[in-house]
């Protein structure tokens, strides 16, 4: 197994690299070197999932078969929970067996399927209904769990009830009353010991330090010292006689969990989330979606003491249930991972792992969501003469015509709502490419209301900074020329730039649509001192690394999805023309 390069620099820069080991814990009940002669005393099955992201409906695979869906997922989890503790123990397993069911965050995601739950807090969040039915013992919080803002997260937490303990070791909630109430009633805890068949298992929960820049977490604070927090909690558990420790983390890429493992002491297993990676071994059944494994199941880095720590994660959106079977001796030392029993189990309707839908979840969740989504798909809001490019790598690296369309809709919404908000109408607009999520090319032809949700699923609101210093705006433009989730799709200006130059010296020329030149030959002209900028509130809060912290802005009562739908129906009269939105965009952003 080879480790891919670390991609999330904000996390990994503070973590030392670690050596990965293959095979030290592999094989049916194979012994780890540190406990070669120990007798197996307890076998723990960890069932885990991550990044469920409101994918409540089943998916049609590349082979025409069906997989995923909350109803089949719940049925599979329940079957595995029962199988883990009934029947004859597997070879090398202990007679005393237990099961622990874990979610590693991103339990829901804004979009059409989440919108099916409505905005009335008296109505149940359908994602919470499915989550509760699955019987998760423990969950942590991912970045997308804050996308609807902390108040919606509090609504979801209330709906999941008391059956799941939410563990958060590095987040602070004192400035968010709705979440603080969840802390005070014990729904959210900083540490937790789960009792499983008389055994005590300490849980550590960590969320990415990048949280404020990835989502609408508002006043939630984040402690970035992940290794220090984890080691302190593991030591406290050991002092209290808790000899089994599971770290659950949401660090955006499983390589970040692997890197963190090398800094740890006293952690037995790591369950990661946020990266959507599929870990699997040769021969493991997979869902038919073309995703290839990113590594073996489990990964096996070593910790700061040279002890192997199994690290697992699963692919996203209700497609797999991970099953890691770990053997412990009487002192709580991991003696082996049961490799024959450990693997990702596909949520499939066909094949050797086929599972029937859970009837209650189908009726209570899947059917109403399908009805709602179908109604959106039937609601045509516009017709496009041209394919609209929302491919992930394109909207995050260059101008596209869909990016132009979205940026234009922000500018139009800002101008439409400016008077009511008492702000100067915006002159320019910026949309971070990472907020455009359809990851596909919408074909020429009808555009539905469902398409607008697919393109812009988050609960981001249009916002206007009416008097942003031009120097700060130009710094934002510079940041938006980096090919990643913060790459800017733009409206109201044209910019030429040198991609090879570092941030801060990329802009060659920048001209507003009215002809005003803000930069010429790399030099700011000083033509304006301030400028009114429309974007989304996530970006104005510094999301995706935009240097807008501290700028005054007003949030308008329009989500960016609503802005797009209104722009299509009202401003464009239901017609997207090839002249206005040509393939490749109209040349607003040009590398020279």
């Amino acid at each position: 197994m080879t480790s891919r390069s670390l991609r999330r620099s904000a996390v990994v820069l503070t973590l030392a690299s670690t050596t990965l080991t293959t095979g030290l814990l592999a094989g049916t009940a194979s012994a780890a070197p540190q406990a070669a002669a120990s007798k197996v005393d307890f076998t723990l099955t960890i069932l885990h999932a991550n990044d469920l992201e409101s994918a409540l409906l089943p998916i049609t695979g590349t082979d025409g078969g069906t997989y995923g869906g909350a109803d089949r997922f719940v049925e599979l989890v329940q079957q595995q929970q029962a199988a883990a503790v009934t029947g004859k123990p597997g070879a090398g397993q202990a007679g005393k067996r237990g099961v622990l069911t874990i979610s590693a965050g991103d339990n829901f995601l804004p979009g059409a399927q989440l919108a099916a739950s409505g905005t009335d807090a008296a109505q149940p969040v359908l994602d919470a209904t499915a989550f509760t039915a699955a019987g998760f013992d423990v969950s942590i919080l991912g970045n997308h769990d804050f996308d609807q803002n902390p108040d919606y997260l509090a609504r979801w937490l209330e709906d999941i009830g008391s059956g799941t303990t939410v563990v958060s070791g590095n987040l602070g909630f004192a400035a968010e009353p709705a979440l603080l109430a969840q802390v005070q009633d014990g729904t959210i805890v900083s540490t937790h010991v789960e009792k499983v068949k008389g055994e005590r298992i300490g849980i550590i929960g960590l969320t990415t330090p990048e949280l404020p820049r990835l989502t609408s977490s508002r006043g939630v604070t984040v402690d970035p010292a992940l290794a220090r927090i984890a080691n302190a909690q593991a030591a406290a558990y050991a002092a209290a006689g808790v000899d089994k420790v599971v770290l659950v983390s949401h660090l955006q890429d499983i390589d970040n969990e692997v890197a963190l493992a090398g800094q740890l002491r006293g952690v037995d297993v790591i369950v990661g989330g946020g990266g959507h990676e599929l870990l699997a071994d040769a021969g493991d059944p997979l869902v038919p979606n073309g995703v290839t494994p990113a590594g073996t199941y489990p990964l096996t880095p070593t910790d700061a003491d040279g002890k192997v720590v199994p690290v697992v994660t699963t692919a996203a959106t209700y497609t797999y249930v991970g099953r890691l079977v770990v053997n412990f001796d009487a002192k709580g030392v991991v003696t082996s991972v049961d490799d024959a029993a450990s693997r990702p189990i596909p949520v499939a309707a066909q094949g050797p792992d086929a599972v029937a839908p859970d009837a209650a979840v189908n009726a209570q969740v899947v059917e109403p969501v399908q009805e709602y989504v179908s109604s959106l798909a039937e609601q045509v809001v516009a017709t496009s003469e041209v394919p609209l490019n929302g491919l992930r790598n394109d909207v995050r690296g260059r101008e596209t015509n869909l990016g132009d369309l979205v940026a234009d809709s922000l500018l139009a919404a800002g101008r439409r709502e400016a008077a009511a908000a008492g702000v100067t109408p915006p002159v320019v607009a910026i949309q971070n490419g990472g907020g455009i999520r359809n990851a596909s090319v919408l074909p020429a032809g009808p555009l539905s209301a469902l398409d607008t949700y697919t393109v812009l699923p988050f609960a981001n609101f249009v916002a206007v900074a009416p008097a942003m210093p031009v120097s700060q705006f130009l710094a934002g433009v510079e940041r938006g020329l980096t090919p990643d989730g913060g790459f800017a799709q733009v409206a109201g200006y044209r910019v030429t730039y040198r991609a090879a130059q570092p941030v801060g010296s990329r802009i060659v020329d920048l001209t507003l649509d009215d002809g005003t030149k803000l930069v010429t030959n790399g030099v700011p002209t000083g033509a304006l001192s301030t400028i009114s900028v429309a974007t989304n509130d996530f970006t104005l809060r510094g999301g995706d690394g935009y240097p807008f912290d501290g700028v005054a802005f007003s949030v308008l009562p329009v989500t960016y999805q609503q802005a797009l739908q209104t722009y299509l129906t009202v401003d464009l009269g239901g017609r997207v023309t090839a002249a206005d939105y040509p393939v490749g965009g109209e040349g607003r952003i040009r590398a020279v």
Side-chain angles (χ1 to χ4, degrees):
M1 186 275 297
T2 59
S3 175
R4 294 165 293 121
S5 62
L6 297 172
R7 300 199 299 266
R8 306 285 178 168
S9 60
V11 175
V12 302
L13 285 178
T14 59
L15 302 177
S17 61
T18 184
T19 301
L20 300 186
T21 309
T22 56
L24 291 184
L25 288 175
T28 302
S30 59
Q34 64 266 23
S38 299
K39 179 181 178 181
V40 177
D41 178 71
F42 176 64
T43 297
L44 176 66
T45 295
I46 298 175
L47 301 176
H48 61 96
N50 50 273
D51 305 277
L52 299 175
E53 296 186 354
S54 296
L56 300 168
L57 300 181
I59 301 166
T60 300
T62 54
D63 64 352
T66 301
Y67 68 93
D71 47 4
R72 282 192 172 85
F73 176 88
V74 167
E75 179 67 22
L76 178 58
V77 171
Q78 292 177 349
Q79 289 180 4
Q80 291 300 315
Q81 288 167 339
V85 294
T86 57
K88 184 179 179 181
Q93 294 185 10
K96 182 167 65 171
R97 293 172 291 162
V99 60
L100 178 64
T101 308
I102 294 172
S103 168
D106 280 3
N107 296 302
F108 55 90
L109 178 74
Q113 295 190 48
L114 183 62
S117 296
T119 58
D120 185 353
Q123 299 299 315
V125 177
L126 299 177
D127 292 79
T129 301
F131 189 90
T132 300
F136 284 100
D137 299 302
V138 169
S139 180
I140 63 165
L141 299 174
N143 53 291
H144 285 309
D145 294 322
F146 294 88
D147 283 346
Q148 294 274 70
N149 72 45
D151 297 331
Y152 191 93
L153 172 57
R155 176 185 168 190
W156 179 84
L157 289 168
E158 290 174 359
D159 285 354
I160 66 171
S162 59
T164 303
T165 301
V166 178
V167 186
S168 181
N170 71 319
L171 301 183
F173 306 101
E176 289 295 337
L179 292 179
L180 182 60
Q182 301 291 327
V183 173
Q184 292 168 340
D185 71 12
T187 300
I188 302 175
V189 297
S190 58
T191 63
H192 174 66
V193 176
E194 185 76 14
K195 294 182 180 179
V196 180
K197 291 296 180 75
E199 300 292 323
R200 295 192 297 165
I201 301 168
I203 306 296
I204 300 170
L206 299 175
T207 300
T208 173
E210 283 287 273
L211 185 70
R213 298 191 179 276
L214 295 173
T215 188
S216 301
S217 54
R218 281 191 332 211
V220 175
T221 59
V222 188
D223 188 336
L226 305 182
R228 177 185 59 77
I229 293 167
N231 285 333
Q233 291 190 1
Y237 284 141
V242 177
D243 57 10
K244 302 172 187 65
V245 177
V246 176
L247 168 64
V248 190
S249 53
H250 193 95
L251 303 186
Q252 299 296 93
D253 189 308
I254 197 62
D255 285 336
N256 290 331
E257 274 85 2
V258 168
L260 178 61
Q263 297 286 294
L264 301 182
R265 288 183 167 87
V267 172
D268 296 304
V269 174
I270 299 176
V271 178
H276 294 206
E277 298 95 347
L278 172 62
L279 301 180
D281 298 326
D284 287 345
L286 306 178
V287 300
N289 63 357
V291 176
T292 57
T296 59
Y297 186 99
L299 301 176
T300 52
T302 55
D303 69 5
D305 294 323
K307 183 187 74 172
V308 172
V309 180
V311 176
V312 292
T313 189
T314 64
T317 60
Y318 289 97
T319 54
Y320 290 92
V321 174
R323 182 178 65 197
L324 181 70
V325 182
V326 185
N327 294 312
F328 294 87
D329 68 13
K331 295 182 179 180
V333 175
V334 176
T335 63
S336 62
V337 165
D338 189 334
D339 191 59
S342 299
R343 65 180 175 97
I345 307 172
V347 180
Q350 300 85 28
D353 286 305
V355 61
D358 178 271
V361 174
N362 181 267
Q364 296 170 12
V365 177
V366 173
E367 288 183 359
V369 171
Q370 184 62 72
E371 181 179 356
Y372 180 80
V373 170
S374 296
S375 71
L376 293 178
E378 294 169 359
Q379 182 184 345
V380 175
V381 297
T383 300
S384 179
E385 297 176 355
V386 62
L388 298 170
N389 183 7
L391 290 171
R392 177 184 172 93
N393 288 342
D394 288 349
V395 296
R396 294 174 177 230
R398 62 182 179 87
E399 177 187 353
T400 76
N401 59 352
L402 181 58
D404 289 348
L405 182 67
V406 172
D408 285 347
S409 72
L410 294 180
L411 188 57
R415 289 172 172 172
R416 185 180 296 111
E417 299 287 336
V423 298
T424 303
V427 175
V428 296
I430 289 175
Q431 169 60 49
N432 59 309
I436 299 174
R437 305 293 289 194
N438 57 302
S440 66
V441 176
L442 299 177
L447 297 173
S448 70
L450 180 60
D451 289 327
T452 68
Y453 275 103
T454 303
V455 172
L456 304 177
F458 300 137
N460 293 334
F461 284 81
V462 181
V464 173
M468 181 181 290
V470 166
S471 59
Q472 196 166 11
F473 166 66
L474 294 177
V477 174
E478 287 274 358
R479 190 274 169 263
L481 295 171
T482 299
D484 59 16
F487 185 88
Q489 302 291 331
V490 308
Y493 67 92
R494 293 173 183 262
V495 61
T496 59
Y497 72 104
R498 295 188 180 95
Q501 293 296 106
V503 175
S505 57
R506 289 176 175 168
I507 300 173
V508 177
D509 296 291
L510 191 152
T511 305
L512 302 182
D513 284 355
D514 66 4
T516 303
K517 295 183 180 298
L518 297 186
V519 179
T520 300
N521 295 324
V523 180
T525 65
L528 298 175
S529 58
T530 64
I531 188 169
S532 182
V533 180
T535 180
N536 56 69
D537 59 332
F538 167 73
T539 300
L540 282 175
R541 290 188 173 96
D544 271 340
Y546 273 85
F548 294 155
D549 294 343
V551 68
F553 65 91
S554 295
V555 178
L556 307 180
V558 179
T559 67
Y560 74 156
Q561 176 272 328
Q562 291 169 335
L564 176 60
Q565 185 164 329
T566 300
Y567 185 70
L568 289 169
T569 57
V570 177
D571 298 83
L572 298 184
R575 183 170 174 236
V576 180
T577 67
D580 290 336
Y581 297 99
V583 172
E586 62 171 6
R588 302 177 187 184
I589 307 168
R590 291 194 304 114
V592 296

